[in-house]
Amino acid sequence: MYYAPHILQKRIIAEEKSDEFGRPIPEEAGDSWVEVCRCRCDHNGDKEVKMPDGTVVTPEYHVVLEDNEPDIEVGDYVRCLKADGTIRGEGRVIKPKTLNYLPYAEIYL
C-alpha cells in the first residue's frame, strides 16, 4: 500500500489480579495499546454493512491495513493515530476483510 499515514493500535485489557483473599489488586488491572500495523483511516460515508446475524449497520470509519493477515478480530476495540499522536478514528471492529493477491486488508469501525 503506497499511502498509509496512520498507525493502527489494538486495546488489550489486562485481567484483574486478586490477592490471596480474593481482593482485586488495582495496580495490575487496566488496559494498554499495542501497535498492529500502518493503515489509512477514512470516514465511511453512507455504505452499510450487513452483519452475519442479518442486521444492517452503518460503520463510522473504513480502515485499510498494510498487512494481509492483521491480528484483528470482530469485536476488538482499535484506534487509528495520526503522525502527531492524535486520534483519527476509533471503535469496535465490525467486519474484517482480506484480499487474495494484494498485501492489505480492510476493516470497518
Side-chain angles (χ1 to χ4, degrees), residues 42-73:
D42 301 318
H43 282 288
N44 187 37
D46 296 331
K47 184 173 182 181
E48 296 178 340
V49 175
K50 188 173 182 180
M51 301 298 288
D53 61 357
T55 58
V56 177
V57 178
T58 304
E60 205 170 326
Y61 296 102
H62 172 241
V63 183
V64 179
L65 309 175
E66 202 170 52
D67 189 11
N68 195 14
E69 295 181 14
D71 185 23
I72 300 292
E73 297 177 1

Side-chain angles (χ1 to χ4, degrees), residues 6-32:
H6 306 119
I7 298 172
L8 183 75
Q9 291 184 337
K10 176 178 158 180
R11 183 170 66 180
I12 305 295
I13 299 174
E15 293 184 23
E16 191 173 83
K17 304 232 178 178
S18 301
D19 62 4
E20 63 272 5
F21 300 110
R23 296 178 297 215
I25 302 172
E27 301 89 38
E28 308 232 354
D31 56 351
S32 61

